[in-house]
Amino acid sequence: MSQTLRDEMDFRALVGDVKPLPQRNRADTGPQRQRPSEAQLARRESAAERLDERNFLSDDFVDLLPPFDPIEFRREGIQQGVVDKLKHGGYSVQAQLHLLRRPLAECRRMLFPFIHEAYAHDLRSVLIVHGRGRELDSPANVLRSYMAKWLMQFDEVQAYVSAQPSEGGLGATWVMLRKSDRAKANNRERQQKRRG
């Protein structure tokens, strides 16, 4: 008797008189989700078109950035110390947007509401992960080049800088948003309370 046959007999002896499960052995997860109606699809499409109409981010020609050069931008009046602190991860990540391996048009559509919602919720520092290609014309480097152009177009963006290697390196960008009017009012109120 071979070892394989002996093992199979031992297995059958251990299992005993177990019966196989029926073919249809699945849990009932409730009613199936219905496909969206034509009216729902039309509303979604209309909302996407309205958002796209407001989206001012340019998808025109962009000068491609060298793939190994960090990106950095600050508006006039922003101190270099703020940019340095941003660069070295001195601010906590309050929100992240991941754009890895997405088409350029989809990244444009995702970035616009992300920045506006972050600003509306009084977030100051956000991280955008976009990837980095090794070639000048690789899709990741094209997106990185557009990201540098797009972020400058937002009035809400005060500064941005490439992240540290532990946070994504040249494939991620830290963005500092300006304070909203509500956040400025809260800050003034706190300072007045401290002064007495």
Side-chain angles (χ1 to χ4, degrees):
M1 187 181 306
S2 72
Q3 181 64 30
T4 309
L5 187 56
R6 221 175 301 135
D7 289 345
E8 190 173 321
M9 288 175 59
D10 289 343
F11 177 75
R12 287 182 190 266
L14 285 172
V15 174
D17 59 349
V18 174
K19 295 178 185 170
L21 294 172
Q23 291 288 358
R24 185 102 172 111
N25 183 30
R26 293 191 173 184
D28 182 17
T29 59
Q32 293 283 351
R33 283 184 58 184
Q34 295 179 346
R35 294 194 185 281
S37 68
E38 286 189 33
Q40 289 172 323
L41 290 173
R43 281 195 300 272
R44 288 179 189 171
E45 189 175 318
S46 174
E49 285 174 3
R50 280 196 310 272
L51 183 64
D52 208 36
E53 286 172 6
R54 288 190 351 238
N55 191 340
F56 54 76
L57 300 178
S58 170
D59 57 359
D60 293 340
F61 175 80
V62 67
D63 289 323
L64 295 177
L65 300 171
F68 296 102
D69 288 358
I71 58 175
E72 185 175 316
F73 167 79
R74 68 183 170 114
R75 295 213 185 272
E76 193 172 314
I78 303 301
Q79 297 174 350
Q80 185 61 42
V82 171
V83 176
D84 292 342
K85 186 174 178 182
L86 185 65
K87 183 188 302 186
H88 297 294
Y91 298 100
S92 62
V93 178
Q94 295 177 312
Q96 284 188 12
L97 177 64
H98 290 267
L99 300 174
L100 291 171
R101 297 181 187 89
R102 294 184 187 272
L104 191 64
E106 185 179 347
C107 294
R108 180 180 171 266
R109 279 194 308 271
M110 291 174 72
L111 179 66
F112 187 78
F114 175 76
I115 295 293
H116 285 288
E117 287 176 23
Y119 178 73
H121 288 93
D122 295 329
L123 304 182
R124 296 293 313 280
S125 57
V126 297
L127 185 66
I128 301 173
V129 180
H130 43 74
R132 173 187 65 86
R134 298 199 182 282
E135 302 297 324
L136 186 64
D137 59 349
S138 69
N141 195 53
V142 170
L143 174 57
R144 185 172 162 269
S145 301
Y146 270 102
M147 191 64 54
K149 177 181 179 180
W150 289 339
L151 289 172
M152 279 193 275
Q153 294 175 351
F154 285 101
D155 290 336
E156 296 85 356
V157 173
Q158 286 187 320
Y160 62 82
V161 64
S162 294
Q164 291 295 306
S166 61
E167 298 159 336
L170 298 176
T173 301
W174 275 102
V175 180
M176 174 65 70
L177 301 175
R178 68 180 167 89
K179 284 185 182 175
S180 67
D181 293 335
R182 181 177 56 236
K184 287 178 186 176
N186 289 341
N187 199 20
R188 275 194 299 271
E189 189 176 311
R190 274 197 315 271
Q191 288 176 355
Q192 288 174 351
K193 285 181 181 178
R194 264 192 274 153
R195 290 179 188 151

